[in-house]
Amino acid sequence: MKKWLPWIIVAIIVFGLYSWGKGFNNTAVTLNENVGEAWGNVQTSYQRRNDLIGNLVNTVKGAADFERKTLTDVIEARAKATSISIDPNNITPEQLAQYNQVQGGLSGALKSLLVTVERYPELKANQNFLKLQDELTSTENTIQTARTRYNEAIKPYNVHIKTFPNSLLAGILNFDSKPYFDAEVGAEKPVDVEFDFN
């Protein structure tokens, strides 16, 4: 029995390492898929906004004297926002920052458009415009929820791969940490509110 004891110990150690590696890998894959699904929901929400913007722009174009520069800014921002594609499995902080920046640019252009509309009573009364404006507001809320859920999906994944001893296997098996969505650029600045009583 003594001559088999070292082999039994080695077998137990090998089995333990195999079980730990398998458990780590399977959990990391599951958590990574959750992140991918959450990212897909973010992209779906942004796609819905992009689709609505096309309808909104067409509705606003109907107002013959509407400021063309405002429309052009929205159209250009929408084109930039749809030009960036990110693979959630290989997402980097730089890619996410760039994605966030162009989406923020589109949000800013939309805000300018909606503020400018206040000067056009016939457009404000247009039922199609009002419906699209409501849908955009709802979609912005959906985007915020999807971004929050994306960040919530990343946390367990990052914790799993960064805690010791899992961090040893994460490097070997190419599981890299994923960046969180940050606030859009300029979100920390207070909003200027002006009332026109004329």
Side-chain angles (χ1 to χ4, degrees), residues 143-158:
I143 288 170
Q144 182 58 39
T145 300
R147 287 172 53 140
T148 300
R149 289 185 179 151
Y150 173 76
N151 282 347
E152 289 170 353
I154 284 180
K155 183 179 179 182
Y157 170 81
N158 281 348

Side-chain angles (χ1 to χ4, degrees), residues 133-193:
Q133 192 175 11
D134 286 344
E135 286 185 41
L136 270 174
T137 301
S138 172
T139 300
E140 290 295 333
N141 291 335
T142 302
I143 288 170
Q144 182 58 39
T145 300
R147 287 172 53 140
T148 300
R149 289 185 179 151
Y150 173 76
N151 282 347
E152 289 170 353
I154 284 180
K155 183 179 179 182
Y157 170 81
N158 281 348
V159 167
H160 179 69
I161 67 165
K162 288 182 177 181
T163 53
F164 184 81
N166 289 352
S167 58
L168 300 173
L169 278 181
I172 295 169
L173 298 175
N174 294 321
F175 286 105
D176 299 321
S177 65
K178 298 191 183 297
Y180 290 93
F181 254 114
D182 290 329
E184 291 178 2
V185 177
E188 73 283 357
K189 296 177 186 169
V191 176
D192 291 331
V193 178

Side-chain angles (χ1 to χ4, degrees), residues 51-103:
D51 293 345
L52 286 172
I53 289 170
N55 293 335
L56 184 70
V57 165
N58 288 334
T59 301
V60 171
K61 277 182 183 176
D65 60 344
F66 193 79
E67 297 173 17
R68 298 290 173 217
K69 182 181 178 335
T70 305
L71 281 176
T72 302
D73 290 346
V74 171
I75 292 166
E76 288 174 359
R78 180 182 179 221
K80 283 182 188 173
T82 56
S83 69
I84 294 181
S85 177
I86 295 178
D87 176 8
N89 293 320
N90 300 316
I91 194 168
T92 64
E94 295 79 19
Q95 288 175 322
L96 191 59
Q98 182 185 17
Y99 187 83
N100 203 22
Q101 183 180 9
V102 296
Q103 294 297 340

